Amino acid sequence: MLDPKLAASIRLVVSDIDGTLVRNDKSLSERTIEVVRRARDAGIAFTLISARPPSGLGALIDQLSLAGPVGAFNGGTLFEPGGRIVEAHRLEPHDARRAVAMLDEAGIPVWFFADGLWIARDETSPHTDLERRAARLEPTLTEDFERWFERADKVVGVSDDHAAVARMEREIGAVLGPSANVVRSQPYFLDVTTAVANKGAGVEALARAFGVPLEATAAIGDMPNDVPMFAHAGLSVAMGQAPEEVRAKARHVADTNEADGVAQFLEQLIAARS
């Protein structure tokens, strides 16, 4: 049960996108669009933080009529509606090289994000069509990533062998250590970004940008890469279909993304203010 006093204190909601705000087909429901508007009218700001590249947030920003900065690459890049970059943090080149090498050794296909591009060796990796829809990009095909290592925003391992993805999360994380953030954004995606590009730091930066104290901020997500922001926000919310280990870290559990869990949560915040 959501504590009414805490719910009434929330002035900013920071939401993950995939598995949280949008449905499984990557669409945004009309109910969610309407409730975000009602929340704004009630004095509750709303913004996004995602593992997606900036190109994958633009359409949602427009649909939701968002104002103020949003976070891409797990918070590594903050930008304003319209595209102006507020801040950007990239992987050290040697960390990017090592992550690619370890994923190659494990036989896990690699995607690379740099210079506003989604770069891949081919178009046969699983979830390529979903990524087209999410990132609003076509893959740039290359035989190797050498020319982009100096400017890597994110390295991604993509595989439907979820156990292998989880294993590489541990192994790459151990090798790269504190200089990188290595975490699953979906069971089939392993994201490698610079250490500052984590959602804990991201939610702090977004709260500062909106002028809202962290204790008046709610963070909502569904995957391990969302857990760091749970420790910082005043109210942490996991989606109903989130893995048990993610739900255990949250103060409140919402309904599933397919059932418009974010909209239902926002409706509770609005009701708490009336």
Side-chain angles (χ1 to χ4, degrees):
M1 185 71 180
L2 188 57
D3 175 28
K5 184 176 180 180
L6 177 58
S9 74
I10 297 301
R11 293 166 46 201
L12 171 66
V13 175
V14 180
S15 177
D16 171 53
I17 296 176
D18 297 293
T20 301
L21 182 69
V22 300
R23 294 171 289 203
N24 293 341
D25 65 359
K26 306 301 182 184
S27 66
L28 188 63
S29 74
E30 289 300 322
R31 177 185 182 185
T32 298
I33 294 170
E34 171 62 18
V35 176
V36 168
R37 183 196 62 76
R38 287 173 48 211
R40 184 167 55 247
D41 291 346
I44 304 165
F46 187 86
T47 191
L48 306 174
I49 190 166
S50 175
R52 291 186 182 193
S55 60
L57 280 67
L60 295 170
I61 291 169
D62 292 342
Q63 285 179 278
L64 295 167
S65 301
L66 298 185
V70 297
F73 296 129
N74 288 324
T77 297
L78 299 187
F79 68 99
E80 294 179 346
R84 189 183 78 84
I85 300 294
V86 177
E87 56 184 80
H89 306 275
R90 296 183 174 89
L91 270 167
E92 290 292 335
H94 58 82
D95 285 342
R97 283 191 177 88
R98 189 65 182 123
V100 169
M102 292 183 71
L103 290 166
D104 284 345
E105 289 166 11
I108 293 177
V110 177
W111 292 345
F112 203 94
F113 291 83
D115 294 344
L117 302 174
W118 163 31
I119 308 154
R121 294 191 177 108
D122 57 51
E123 298 182 75
T124 64
S125 300
H127 308 289
T128 293
D129 286 340
L130 275 178
E131 187 66 13
R132 281 190 173 97
R133 271 183 272 168
R136 299 294 177 113
L137 289 172
E138 284 294 320
T140 296
L141 301 183
T142 185
E143 292 184 2
D144 66 71
F145 305 111
E146 182 60 38
R147 63 193 262 201
W148 290 286
F149 278 126
E150 298 290 331
R151 303 178 305 282
D153 290 302
K154 182 173 69 165
V155 171
V156 179
V158 53
S159 173
D160 281 329
D161 185 342
H162 298 175
V165 173
R167 184 180 72 252
M168 295 312 297
E169 178 183 35
R170 296 189 298 270
E171 293 181 4
I172 295 175
V175 168
L176 299 189
S179 66
N181 182 48
V182 184
V183 65
R184 286 166 289 157
S185 59
Q186 295 293 334
Y188 45 82
F189 281 162
L190 178 63
D191 293 342
V192 183
T193 55
T194 191
V196 179
N198 72 83
K199 290 191 177 181
V203 77
E204 287 186 331
L206 289 168
R208 284 196 304 271
F210 278 87
V212 175
L214 281 168
E215 59 267 26
T217 300
I220 182 165
D222 72 307
M223 285 299 294
N225 68 323
D226 297 310
V227 170
M229 65 180 177
F230 288 178
H232 295 267
L235 176 56
S236 53
V237 183
M239 299 304 291
Q241 85 289 346
E244 182 179 353
E245 65 268 24
V246 174
R247 287 184 278 118
K249 297 289 186 179
R251 184 164 184 169
H252 178 71
V253 177
D255 209 331
T256 68
N257 65 316
E258 286 288 284
D260 291 337
V262 170
Q264 291 185 42
F265 170 67
L266 288 173
E267 288 167 346
Q268 292 178 69
L269 297 187
I270 294 167
R273 287 180 164 240
S274 60

